DNA sequence: AAAGACATCAACCGCCTGGGA
DNA sequence: CTCCCAGGCGGTTGATGTCTT
C-alpha cells in the first residue's frame, strides 16, 4: 500500500493552486466534464495528479458552492447530524447544499467542537461532559464511525444570543421494548419544536446503527413516501429529497455535475445564451433552458423557515437566500422574469461573502456584500467566486483580463442574478422500515428548513 | 510595532471500497 | 480469486490570516 500511483509521477505540482491552474481546470471541466480524473490533468495541461484536480474541483471550483460563513441554522444542523452520523462528513455535507465535507470538517474541528465543550457537551458523544467524565467514557466508540453512538442526554445547541439560550433537551427516555420512540424537545432561537426520535436511533447498537447508516446513505438518494402508519411522527415534514436531493445527488456524486462529455453542457449555447448572464451559476442547464412554470410559493414546515419556491418541470426550486429583514425583494430569473422573494441571493448563495447570523466573529458577519465591495477587490477575492472565473474560462479570457473587468462588473449582482437553487422532486417510492431512522435526518433538515 | 498565540482553511496523505481484467 | 486502478473519504498538516499581549 502507499501512495496513489499518480503521485509517483514526476514533476507534479503540489500545494496551493494558482489562478492559472484553476482556470485551466475549470475550463476543461466545463467543456468536457471530468471523465476519468486521472486523465484530467494531462488533458487540461496541468502538472497535478488527478486526485488533486478532483479535490480542487469539489472543494473550490464547483459552481454550486455556497461561499461565506455558516449560518446558525447550518451549525445547528451540523451538530445534530453529527450526533447521528458521527464523523461522516460527506453524509453530513449531503444535507447542506453548497457545503463540502472538507468545509464542514474544518468547521467542526476548529469551531463547533470548541463551542460544544464550552457549553459542557462532549463533542464526540454529544453527552454532557460531566457524564462522560464520570464513566461515560466507556461509551466511547473505538472508531470514528461509531463515535456518535451515544445519542442521548441533553444537547445544547449553539446560539449566538446568549440571552436566549438555545437548549435542545434530549429528554433521554430510555428506550423500552414498548415505546417505539423517544421524544425530545428542541428550543431553537425561541421556537420550540417537539420531536420524536425512533428508538432504533436512540438505542442503536453498533450493528443496527451501521445498518441504519448504510440505509441512510442509500436512502438519501432515494425518494421516500411516508406511509400512514409511519407518518404519525413525521407530520410537518416532507421527504428530504424535496429539500435538497437534487443538489445532494450532485454533491455526493460529482460525476453528475458534469457529464463525461460536454454534450449537455454546451458552453456556447446553454450557459451563455438566452440572455442569461454568463456569471449565472450553471446549477442546472435544464433549468436555464427550460420554460418556466411557476407555481405558488410553498411554505416549508416550521413557519419560521418558510422559503419561497416554485417548480420547473417537476423540479422544485427554493430561493437561495433565507429570509432576512434587510434583503432585496426581487431577483431575476434566467428568463428575465422577476420573482418576488424575501431573501437575498447575495447573502446565501455562492456569491456570499458573509452572513449576518454566522458562527464566526461579529466582525466577519459584517463583511460587506459584493455590491459594496471596494473597486480594488483583490485577485484572490475575485478568484473565490468560481462563477466569475468560469465566465472567464468560458469566454477564453485570461483571469487577469477578467480581473481588469471586475471593477465594472461589481454592480451586476444587484440586478442580474437569481438566487435559485434547483431541488428535484423525485418520484416517490414506498418507505422502507429502516428509513425511519433516515427520516430523523429528514426531520432535522426539514426543521431547519432551507439552509 | 513586534512577537507569540490562536483560528482558519486549502490541500495532502493514507486507507478503503468497488469495478474490471 | 487475485490484482490493479480509480474514486472517495476522513484525518492531519502546514500556510496564512487575525487577534492578543
Amino acid at each position: 500500500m502507499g501512495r496513489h500511483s499518480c503521485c509517483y509521477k514526476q514533476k507534479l505540482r503540489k500545494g496551493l493552486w494558482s489562478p492559472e491552474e484553476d482556470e485551466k481546470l475549470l475550463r476543461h471541466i466545463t467543456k468536457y466534464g471530468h471523465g476519468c480524473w486521472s486523465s484530467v490533468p494531462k488533458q487540461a495541461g496541468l502538472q497535478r495528479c488527478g486526485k488533486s484536480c478532483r479535490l480542487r474541483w469539489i472543494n473550490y471550483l464547483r459552481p454550486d458552492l455556497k461561499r461565506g460563513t455558516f449560518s446558525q441554522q447550518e451549525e445547528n444542523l451540523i451538530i445534530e447530524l453529527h450526533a447521528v452520523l458521527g464523523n461522516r462528513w460527506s453524509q453530513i455535507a449531503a444535507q447542506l447544499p453548497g457545503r463540502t465535507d472538507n468545509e464542514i470538517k474544518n468547521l467542526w474541528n476548529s469551531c463547533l467542537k470548541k463551542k460544544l465543550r464550552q457549553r459542557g457537551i462532549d463533542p464526540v458523544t454529544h453527552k454532557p461532559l460531566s457524564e462522560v467524565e464520570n464513566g461515560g467514557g466507556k461509551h466511547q466508540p473505538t472508531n470514528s464511525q461509531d463515535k456518535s453512538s451515544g445519542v442521548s442526554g441533553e444537547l445544547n445547541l449553539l446560539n449566538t444570543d446568549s440571552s436566549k439560550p438555545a437548549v435542545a433537551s434530549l429528554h433521554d427516555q430510555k428506550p423500552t421494548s414498548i415505546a417505539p420512540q423517544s421524544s425530545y424537545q428542541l428550543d431553537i432561537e425561541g421556537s420550540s419544536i417537539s420531536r420524536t426520535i425512533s428508538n432504533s436511533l436512540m438505542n442503536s447498537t453498533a450493528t443496527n446503527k451501521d445498518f441504519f447508516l448504510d440505509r441512510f446513505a442509500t436512502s438519501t438518494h432515494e425518494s421516500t413516501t411516508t406511509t400512514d402508519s409511519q407518518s404519525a411522527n413525521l407530520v410537518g415534514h416532507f421527504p428530504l429529497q424535496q429539500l435538497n436531493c437534487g443538489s445532494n445527488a450532485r454533491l455526493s456524486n460529482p460525476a453528475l455535475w458534469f457529464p463525461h462529455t460536454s454534450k449537455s453542457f454546451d458552453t456556447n449555447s446553454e450557459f451563455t445564451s438566452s440572455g442569461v448572464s454568463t456569471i449565472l451559476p450553471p446549477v442546472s442547464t435544464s433549468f436555464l433552458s427550460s420554460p418556466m412554470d411557476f407555481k405558488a410559493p410553498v411554505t416549508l414546515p416550521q413557519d419560521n423557515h418558510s422559503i419561497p419556491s416554485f417548480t420547473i418541470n417537476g423540479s422544485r426550486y427554493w430561493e437561495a437566500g433565507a429570509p432576512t429583514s434587510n434583503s432585496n425583494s426581487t431577483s431575476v430569473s434566467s428568463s428575465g422574469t422577476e420573482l418576488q422573494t424575501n431573501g437575498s441571493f447575495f447573502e446565501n448563495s455562492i456569491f456570499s461573502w458573509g452572513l449576518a447570523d454566522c458562527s464566526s466573529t461579529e466582525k466577519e458577519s459584517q463583511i460587506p456584500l459584493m455590491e459594496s465591495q471596494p473597486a480594488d477587490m483583490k485577485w484572490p477575492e475575485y478568484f473565490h467566486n468560481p462563477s466569475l472565473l468560469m465566465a472567464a474560462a468560458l469566454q477564453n479570457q485570461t483571469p487577469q483580463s477578467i480581473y481588469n473587468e471586475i471593477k465594472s462588473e461589481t454592480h451586476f449582482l444587484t440586478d442580474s442574478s437569481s438566487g435559485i437553487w434547483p431541488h428535484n422532486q423525485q418520484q416517490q417510492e414506498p418507505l422502507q422500515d429502516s428509513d425511519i431512522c433516515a427520516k430523523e435526518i429528514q426531520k432535522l433538515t426539514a426543521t431547519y428548513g432551507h439552509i
Side-chain angles (χ1 to χ4, degrees):
Chain A
M1 303 303 281
R3 289 187 170 191
H4 193 264
S5 58
C6 68
C7 299
Y8 287 116
K9 294 177 183 175
Q10 299 295 314
K11 296 180 181 177
L12 292 183
R13 271 179 56 86
K14 290 172 66 177
L16 296 177
W17 282 64
S18 68
E20 290 74 22
E21 287 179 305
D22 279 341
E23 187 205 0
K24 282 182 179 178
L25 180 60
L26 190 54
R27 186 179 295 171
H28 175 81
I29 293 180
T30 53
K31 200 169 182 180
Y32 304 108
H34 61 71
C36 175
W37 279 111
S38 59
S39 63
V40 165
K42 188 178 179 180
Q43 294 169 352
L46 292 164
Q47 303 293 316
R48 297 272 182 174
C49 73
K51 289 184 104 174
S52 183
C53 293
R54 174 184 162 272
L55 208 63
R56 185 62 177 174
W57 171 256
I58 291 173
N59 289 334
Y60 196 81
L61 295 176
R62 210 176 54 190
D64 73 319
L65 289 180
K66 187 192 290 184
R67 292 280 161 191
T69 50
F70 283 76
S71 69
Q72 194 63 51
Q73 284 183 329
E74 284 178 307
E75 287 192 4
N76 291 342
L77 180 56
I78 290 168
I79 291 168
E80 289 208 36
L81 287 170
H82 186 273
V84 176
L85 295 168
N87 291 355
R88 299 189 176 192
W89 306 117
S90 61
Q91 290 181 27
I92 293 174
Q95 312 309 317
L96 289 110
R99 300 297 189 183
T100 70
D101 53 355
N102 207 36
E103 206 175 4
I104 292 170
K105 181 170 58 182
N106 282 334
L107 177 73
W108 180 265
N109 288 329
S110 68
C111 182
L112 296 185
K113 269 166 81 173
K114 209 169 299 175
K115 285 184 179 179
L116 283 177
R117 283 203 188 95
Q118 286 171 356
R119 291 172 185 270
I121 302 297
D122 178 48
V124 175
T125 63
H126 292 260
K127 290 180 177 179
L129 279 173
S130 57
E131 183 180 329
V132 174
E133 290 165 359
N134 294 334
K138 65 186 176 185
H139 299 301
Q140 290 273 345
T142 54
N143 59 56
S144 60
Q145 302 293 325
D146 296 325
K147 282 179 180 176
S148 60
S149 56
V151 184
S152 61
E154 184 173 291
L155 174 64
N156 288 325
L157 295 184
L158 303 178
N159 190 332
T160 52
D161 183 359
S162 58
S163 67
K164 193 171 55 179
V167 177
S169 298
L170 262 168
H171 302 303
D172 189 7
Q173 300 180 357
K174 289 294 181 184
T176 67
S177 58
I178 299 172
Q181 293 174 317
S182 297
S183 65
Y184 61 97
Q185 185 164 2
L186 282 171
D187 185 355
I188 302 167
E189 294 175 356
S191 64
S192 184
I193 302 164
S194 295
R195 296 265 198 87
T196 58
I197 185 166
S198 61
N199 279 347
S200 57
L201 179 59
M202 296 291 290
N203 195 30
S204 59
T205 63
T207 301
N208 63 23
K209 185 166 187 176
D210 281 346
F211 174 73
F212 147 62
L213 291 170
D214 290 341
R215 284 296 311 160
F216 171 67
T218 302
S219 65
T220 53
H221 297 291
E222 298 172 351
S223 296
T224 57
T225 297
T226 305
T227 62
D228 289 342
S229 61
Q230 289 164 319
S231 64
N233 294 297
L234 300 174
V235 176
H237 302 295
F238 51 90
L240 177 64
Q241 287 69 28
Q242 290 187 348
L243 257 181
N244 54 15
C245 184
S247 54
N248 283 345
R250 289 167 182 255
L251 282 169
S252 309
N253 184 4
L256 297 177
W257 263 100
F258 289 107
H260 288 195
T261 70
S262 61
K263 288 189 175 180
S264 64
F265 192 76
D266 185 334
T267 57
N268 292 324
S269 60
E270 293 178 27
F271 185 52
T272 60
S273 64
S274 306
V276 180
S277 168
T278 55
I279 52 83
L280 191 67
V283 291
S284 168
T285 54
S286 61
F287 163 59
L288 296 182
S289 58
S290 299
M292 296 300 195
D293 175 24
F294 294 107
K295 293 180 180 178
V298 175
T299 300
L300 300 186
Q302 320 302 344
D303 277 345
N304 52 335
H305 299 304
S306 60
I307 314 289
S309 70
F310 55 90
T311 58
I312 300 172
N313 287 354
S315 293
R316 177 167 297 178
Y317 293 80
W318 271 274
E319 187 198 351
T324 56
S325 59
N326 59 345
S327 56
N328 297 332
S329 60
T330 303
S331 63
V332 182
S333 73
S334 62
S335 61
T337 306
E338 286 196 353
L339 302 172
Q340 291 301 319
T341 66
N342 292 328
S344 171
F345 169 60
F346 313 114
E347 293 178 4
N348 297 283
S349 70
I350 62 172
F351 292 110
S352 297
W353 271 266
L355 288 164
D357 182 20
C358 62
S359 61
S360 302
T361 63
E362 290 180 13
K363 207 171 188 177
E364 282 178 307
S365 71
Q366 294 166 359
I367 296 171
L369 301 182
M370 187 171 180
E371 56 189 327
S372 58
Q373 290 284 317
D376 59 344
M377 186 171 66
K378 294 175 183 175
W379 174 232
E381 293 170 343
Y382 162 68
F383 227 87
H384 272 70
N385 186 335
S387 293
L388 294 177
L389 180 61
M390 178 173 286
L394 295 175
Q395 295 172 0
N396 286 331
Q397 290 177 279
T398 65
Q400 190 58 48
S401 67
I402 289 297
Y403 173 54
N404 292 337
E405 291 179 17
I406 192 63
K407 291 178 182 177
S408 60
E409 289 286 338
T410 50
H411 66 280
F412 73 84
L413 290 167
T414 61
D415 56 16
S416 64
S417 297
S418 172
I420 297 164
W421 289 82
H423 301 278
N424 293 338
Q425 284 183 303
Q426 300 186 348
Q427 191 172 6
Q428 295 188 343
E429 298 170 356
L431 186 74
Q432 312 232 354
D433 290 346
S434 54
D435 286 338
I436 294 170
C437 293
K439 285 201 166 293
E440 289 305 323
I441 309 299
Q442 297 179 20
K443 287 182 184 179
L444 294 178
T445 311
T447 296
Y448 289 105
H450 180 82
I451 300 293

